Amino acid sequence: MVLGKQGAGKGTQCVRLARHYAVPHISTGDMFRAAVRSGSEFGAKARKFMDAGDLVPDDVVIGLVRERLSQDDARLRGFVLDGFPRTVQQAEALDEMLAPHGGVELVVDLEVPTEVVLKRLASRRVCVECGTNYSVERPPEDPETCDICGGKVVQREDDTESAIRRRLELYEEQTAPLIAWYLAKDKLVTVDGVGEPDRVTTRLIRAIDRRLRRGPDG
Ligand SMILES: [Zn+2]
């Protein structure tokens, strides 16, 4: 499982870790977006919370994750979990789900200082049509037009500095108890997330391999 504030590069790194370890990448954010796109009843419910800027309630997220983790690929090969748990109640539910398999194997905290992610997020630009991410430093060929689909490339309304700061503070508040929870269980490893994505990936894999080789008894 990977923890990391918005803008820490968690999504990118999770995709790479999943590829490296040949396990599914299970992202609750992706699952919610897919549900909303599908127009299902669940998607409509999820959208209401997301539009209101609220967290989706624990029982809804837990149900979704439980269902996903029971599928064969996750059950047989393991997984990289991204975006869950967000609360201690969710962490307790996850422990319960994974109890037959010895619980959560390892929790990685991808650590990037707030000032660094603030800069990254404030420079972020996104295609309104296909969702491709760009930045001021890496714009599309025409700064306002998506290279992939020709859609309009804009700064998200909620990417203003004050809004970003608020989201980051909320994240710290929410995550501090989780970090304490996994630290107490000796499941937590902190990895420096500053630098080129390739270097961060190497750092992550090295830290994970070191911890998993060590085994439960040190
Ligand atoms: Zn596009």
Side-chain angles (χ1 to χ4, degrees):
M1 178 207 309
V2 182
L3 297 172
K5 51 177 80 107
Q6 198 187 18
K10 178 167 64 78
T12 307
Q13 295 300 337
C14 283
V15 168
R16 291 169 173 219
L17 290 176
R19 203 179 302 142
H20 178 83
Y21 292 104
V23 297
H25 168 214
I26 298 180
S27 153
T28 45
D30 287 352
M31 284 157 76
F32 284 130
R33 281 185 288 274
V36 169
R37 269 199 308 275
S38 78
S40 67
E41 196 179 319
F42 172 75
K45 216 160 105 186
R47 163 162 241 161
K48 266 209 313 232
F49 291 109
M50 289 158 78
D51 284 350
D54 289 339
L55 285 176
V56 181
D58 278 344
D59 57 330
V60 176
V61 192
I62 290 167
L64 189 73
V65 170
R66 176 176 286 123
E67 208 277 317
R68 180 64 187 85
L69 295 187
S70 70
Q71 289 170 18
D72 276 350
D73 59 346
R75 227 162 31 81
L76 301 175
R77 304 213 310 266
F79 47 84
V80 173
L81 194 54
D82 173 3
F84 182 92
R86 285 274 165 86
T87 65
V88 170
Q89 197 195 331
Q90 290 178 8
E92 282 169 352
L94 182 66
D95 265 8
E96 223 178 271
M97 288 177 223
L98 298 179
H101 311 283
V104 174
E105 208 171 4
L106 188 64
V107 179
V108 179
D109 186 20
L110 188 59
E111 179 53 41
V112 179
T114 295
E115 293 311 311
V116 175
V117 296
L118 252 176
K119 245 179 82 184
R120 277 189 201 166
L121 290 171
S123 81
R124 187 163 69 165
R125 299 293 180 270
V126 63
C127 169
V128 295
E129 294 298 330
C130 72
T132 299
N133 284 307
Y134 298 97
S135 69
V136 173
E137 294 78 25
R138 286 178 204 172
E141 209 167 305
D142 168 356
E144 288 184 0
T145 309
C146 179
D147 286 340
I148 295 172
C149 78
K152 203 168 156 54
V153 172
V154 300
Q155 179 169 30
R156 282 172 37 167
E157 270 175 43
D158 55 351
D159 273 353
T160 61
E161 187 175 325
S162 64
I164 296 166
R165 273 193 196 279
R166 263 201 312 280
R167 290 206 301 272
L168 291 175
E169 277 164 19
L170 182 68
Y171 174 83
E172 296 284 345
E173 258 169 53
Q174 275 177 359
T175 317
L178 272 184
I179 302 238
W181 162 276
Y182 286 116
L183 205 55
K185 291 175 180 278
D186 193 23
K187 298 277 188 184
L188 192 81
V189 58
T190 301
V191 174
D192 176 10
V194 179
E196 283 300 308
D198 285 350
R199 298 198 49 191
V200 175
T201 306
T202 306
R203 234 178 263 154
L204 277 166
I205 290 169
R206 211 173 283 155
I208 292 168
D209 287 349
R210 199 184 304 133
R211 278 294 293 253
L212 295 187
R213 257 202 314 273
R214 195 190 73 172
D217 300 313

